[in-house]
Amino acid sequence: MEVYFIGTGGGAPSKRGLPAFLVRRQGFNVLLDCGEGTQITMINHGLNIMAINLIAITHLHADHVLGLPSLIQTMGMYSRKEKLYIIGDVKDLLNKVFEETYFEPPFKIEYVDSYEDNELKITPFKTCHVVKSQGYLIEEKDKKNIDIEKLTKEGIKDWRIIRQLKAGKEVIFNGRKLYPEDYLITKKGIRIAYTGDTAICDSVINSVKGVDLLIHDSTFLDDINAKEYGHSTVTDAATVAKEAGVKRLALVHISGRYKDAKIMEEIAKRTFWKSFLPDDLSYYILKD
Amino acid sequence: MEVYFIGTGGGAPSKRGLPAFLVRRQGFNVLLDCGEGTQITMINHGLNIMAINLIAITHLHADHVLGLPSLIQTMGMYSRKEKLYIIGDVKDLLNKVFEETYFEPPFKIEYVDSYEDNELKITPFKTCHVVKSQGYLIEEKDKKNIDIEKLTKEGIKDWRIIRQLKAGKEVIFNGRKLYPEDYLITKKGIRIAYTGDTAICDSVINSVKGVDLLIHDSTFLDDINAKEYGHSTVTDAATVAKEAGVKRLALVHISGRYKDAKIMEEIAKRTFWKSFLPDDLSYYILKD
């Protein structure tokens, strides 16, 4: 699983782009938020907009959503046929803009509250912003793999038996009952959380516990009362990461007022040392 | 007067930005069309979005207008107070987007059909696209300057007399009647026309006669039946320029299919030699 940081900036346009994050996984790509310019950056940097399967929008502030109508229109211009899933409260906005700009999508848009297939699950969680908002948890499902090493050690080589165990069935082997749970190894799925805009709050801490990567609002340094604006400081973000016991924290939604934002990473690391400040167009690979 | 070519590309995002052109004049700045990314390009290249006085939109296709809601929201975020004039049929689109994204402009937006002050006049003209559309003519008003050379030659040095003539009044000097029209020189104002999307058509030719700069749709090379799409080929654009007797032609709205568009300039020059192909972020100065 890879995360592309398309736009790591805050609400006002700056050298950092407006919020957008692409989570790529073989067979399924998710775009998290879609600020103005998202499609332009993607197209100009070789990220295929047609491969997006699902778009999840955290809230309807302009900087998180106004790249969406034109992205969908370009997908239409490129003759997309596959269904596009959308999570987030954007149906009215899209329909109004499409109507005003003479556009009708030539593909199906399915508005859903969450998404699940055999391998992946995407669910919203409550965040604490000044308007209705939600973050997203993207979870690969755990996989059960057969423990070949153990089977070999015990002299079990018959593939009919192995197939049964793999399917979760009990088997008799040489008069002994084999239980599948003894021969299956759980491969934990990767988990990523993205908050969108949020102040530090318990519902986020509780929702992102132990994720492999937390992408958290870090709009300000500690000189601002971020909570008043429904945002977080870098120390807020690092505190959430620490309390939720996440593996890695990406600091995003950086305000344009900080010309050299490197200091933000340094400050976050004082609270949670596995913090990093991604640049636009950088990416992060999460290994199995 | 200067024209900044912010986005010279066609409808689908490419290396050339989506349509937007800034006409700067001391005291009054006009933005013509506002494709997605316009504010981002302007801010990142030192063009002051707050100095825009009037925005004129040619038609409501996404590539010409979807940068407008966010541009206005950023003006609001930067605490704009001055009135913004808008020409073009965008009031409903803006109000719907503002409502959906929790935004209310903190400054007045005045929707007008044309604009005129003491020095400048902006009027729409009919173009020929597949949806309701119009181009714009931006005209500096002619100025009357006193012909000091002639006055000096005739020995008229009395500033009370000169002031009267300048104000358009007849004066008696040494028993001779002086008529103001004999002592005033007309300084022609600069005139710029922008078509937006259009097929070659008579109403454009008739509307842009003799302008100093014509910015014309030149989406395609001659291999495409441009008219069918409501667009022009470079030869169409050059033909309009020639028949309208304009001084200079800028070829814009270049389709992303042409990786090296330099050939478009060469072909246009066969019909109208004062054609040029501006790059994004280039500018053109029109001298008095």
Side-chain angles (χ1 to χ4, degrees):
Chain A
M1 203 131 80
E2 304 158 334
V3 178
Y4 285 81
F5 298 93
I6 298 170
T8 61
S14 67
K15 291 280 175 198
R16 291 175 185 267
L18 297 175
F21 308 92
L22 180 69
V23 179
R24 289 218 300 199
R25 192 178 175 276
Q26 202 166 19
F28 206 85
N29 294 335
V30 178
L31 182 68
L32 298 166
D33 279 342
C34 187
E36 184 186 3
T38 299
Q39 63 159 341
I40 298 170
T41 305
M42 287 185 69
I43 290 169
N44 284 340
H45 294 88
L47 293 171
N48 183 4
I49 63 165
M50 298 300 270
I52 297 169
N53 302 92
L54 184 146
I55 300 173
I57 301 292
T58 57
H59 65 295
L60 269 90
H61 273 153
D63 55 322
H64 291 255
V65 71
L66 286 190
L68 187 55
S70 40
L71 170 64
I72 292 174
Q73 297 210 30
T74 303
M75 287 175 171
M77 236 190 294
Y78 288 177
S79 306
R80 181 186 180 111
K81 293 282 168 285
E82 299 125 87
K83 186 198 286 186
L84 177 69
Y85 291 96
I86 296 186
I87 313 182
D89 212 8
V90 298
K91 190 175 175 175
D92 285 350
L93 171 68
L94 288 179
N95 285 342
K96 286 172 184 176
V97 173
F98 292 163
E99 197 194 330
E100 290 290 329
T101 57
Y102 310 95
F103 176 75
E104 210 171 310
F107 54 90
K108 188 170 162 46
I109 297 178
E110 189 170 331
Y111 295 93
V112 292
D113 295 327
S114 60
Y115 174 86
E116 185 167 1
D117 63 24
N118 289 335
E119 307 205 327
L120 204 67
K121 204 173 149 183
I122 302 165
T123 40
F125 59 86
K126 200 189 157 309
T127 54
C128 301
H129 194 40
V130 292
V131 299
K132 192 181 157 194
S133 66
Q134 57 189 21
Y136 294 100
L137 198 59
I138 302 181
E139 301 173 280
E140 280 185 333
K141 291 189 178 171
D142 294 346
K143 273 188 187 160
K144 300 275 184 189
N145 285 341
I146 203 84
D147 189 345
I148 293 291
E149 209 175 312
K150 189 173 178 186
L151 288 167
T152 312
K153 212 178 276 172
E154 297 183 11
I156 307 166
K157 289 175 184 170
D158 186 334
W159 275 100
R160 284 164 302 178
I161 291 174
I162 295 172
R163 204 183 300 132
Q164 297 267 49
L165 288 171
K166 211 170 176 178
K169 290 176 190 162
E170 296 171 2
V171 198
I172 305 294
F173 172 69
N174 287 350
R176 183 159 71 93
K177 202 177 208 176
L178 307 179
Y179 297 94
E181 54 270 29
D182 294 337
Y183 297 93
L184 291 172
I185 305 165
T186 300
K187 196 188 122 198
K188 292 291 277 179
I190 287 168
R191 298 166 69 229
I192 296 173
Y194 168 57
T195 63
D197 291 358
T198 189
I200 182 169
C201 72
D202 286 342
S203 73
V204 173
I205 296 172
N206 295 330
S207 305
V208 306
K209 286 228 183 297
V211 296
D212 296 278
L213 175 66
L214 171 62
I215 306 167
H216 197 290
D217 178 327
S218 312
T219 308
F220 301 117
L221 277 173
D222 298 347
D223 55 333
I224 304 260
N225 185 358
K227 212 161 187 167
E228 200 178 303
Y229 302 100
H231 285 294
S232 299
T233 63
V234 283
T235 299
D236 290 338
T239 304
V240 170
K242 189 179 169 187
E243 293 193 10
V246 311
K247 301 229 175 77
R248 275 285 220 166
L249 167 66
L251 308 162
V252 302
H253 204 265
I254 307 300
S255 166
R257 77 187 63 195
Y258 306 115
K259 295 299 162 228
D260 180 10
K262 210 61 200 165
I263 182 78
M264 301 184 100
E265 186 175 289
E266 285 165 33
I267 289 175
K269 280 182 168 171
R270 290 178 200 163
T271 303
F272 183 74
W273 75 271
K274 284 155 94 174
S275 305
F276 69 104
L277 180 81
D279 283 326
D280 277 18
L281 293 169
S282 65
Y283 61 97
Y284 185 77
I285 299 176
L286 292 116
K287 291 235 179 81
D288 292 342
Chain B
M1 205 132 78
E2 303 157 334
V3 178
Y4 285 80
F5 298 93
I6 297 170
T8 61
S14 67
K15 291 280 173 197
R16 290 175 184 267
L18 297 175
F21 308 92
L22 180 69
V23 179
R24 290 218 300 200
R25 192 176 176 278
Q26 203 166 18
F28 206 84
N29 293 335
V30 178
L31 182 67
L32 298 166
D33 279 341
C34 187
E36 185 186 3
T38 299
Q39 64 160 340
I40 298 170
T41 305
M42 287 186 69
I43 290 170
N44 283 340
H45 294 89
L47 293 172
N48 184 5
I49 62 165
M50 298 301 270
I52 297 169
N53 302 92
L54 183 147
I55 300 173
I57 302 292
T58 56
H59 66 296
L60 268 90
H61 273 153
D63 55 322
H64 291 254
V65 71
L66 286 190
L68 186 56
S70 40
L71 169 64
I72 292 175
Q73 297 212 29
T74 303
M75 288 174 170
M77 237 190 294
Y78 289 175
S79 304
R80 182 187 179 110
K81 292 281 170 286
E82 298 125 87
K83 187 196 286 187
L84 177 68
Y85 291 97
I86 296 185
I87 313 182
D89 211 8
V90 298
K91 190 175 176 177
D92 285 350
L93 171 69
L94 288 179
N95 286 342
K96 286 173 185 176
V97 173
F98 292 163
E99 197 193 332
E100 290 291 329
T101 57
Y102 311 95
F103 176 75
E104 210 171 309
F107 54 90
K108 189 168 163 46
I109 296 177
E110 190 170 330
Y111 295 93
V112 292
D113 295 326
S114 61
Y115 174 85
E116 185 166 2
D117 63 24
N118 288 335
E119 307 207 324
L120 204 66
K121 203 174 152 184
I122 302 164
T123 40
F125 59 87
K126 201 189 156 311
T127 54
C128 302
H129 194 39
V130 292
V131 297
K132 191 182 158 194
S133 66
Q134 58 189 22
Y136 294 101
L137 198 60
I138 302 180
E139 302 172 282
E140 279 184 335
K141 293 190 176 169
D142 295 346
K143 273 188 188 159
K144 302 272 184 193
N145 285 340
I146 202 85
D147 189 345
I148 293 292
E149 209 176 314
K150 188 171 179 187
L151 288 167
T152 311
K153 210 178 277 173
E154 297 182 12
I156 308 166
K157 288 176 184 168
D158 186 334
W159 275 100
R160 285 165 301 180
I161 291 174
I162 294 172
R163 204 184 300 130
Q164 298 267 50
L165 288 170
K166 209 171 177 179
K169 291 177 188 157
E170 296 172 0
V171 198
I172 305 292
F173 172 69
N174 286 352
R176 181 159 72 94
K177 201 178 213 178
L178 307 179
Y179 297 94
E181 55 270 31
D182 294 337
Y183 297 93
L184 290 172
I185 304 165
T186 300
K187 195 187 124 201
K188 292 291 276 179
I190 287 167
R191 297 166 70 230
I192 295 173
Y194 167 57
T195 62
D197 291 357
T198 189
I200 182 169
C201 71
D202 286 342
S203 74
V204 173
I205 295 171
N206 294 331
S207 305
V208 306
K209 288 228 182 297
V211 296
D212 296 278
L213 175 66
L214 170 63
I215 306 167
H216 197 290
D217 179 327
S218 314
T219 307
F220 301 117
L221 277 174
D222 297 346
D223 56 333
I224 304 260
N225 185 356
K227 212 161 187 168
E228 199 177 305
Y229 303 100
H231 285 295
S232 298
T233 64
V234 283
T235 299
D236 289 339
T239 304
V240 171
K242 189 179 170 185
E243 293 192 10
V246 310
K247 301 229 175 75
R248 276 285 221 166
L249 167 66
L251 308 162
V252 302
H253 204 267
I254 306 301
S255 166
R257 76 187 64 195
Y258 306 114
K259 295 301 163 226
D260 180 10
K262 210 62 202 166
I263 182 79
M264 300 183 100
E265 186 176 290
E266 286 166 33
I267 290 175
K269 281 182 168 170
R270 289 179 200 164
T271 304
F272 183 74
W273 76 271
K274 282 155 96 174
S275 306
F276 68 105
L277 181 80
D279 282 325
D280 277 18
L281 294 168
S282 64
Y283 61 97
Y284 185 77
I285 299 175
L286 292 116
K287 291 234 180 82
D288 291 343

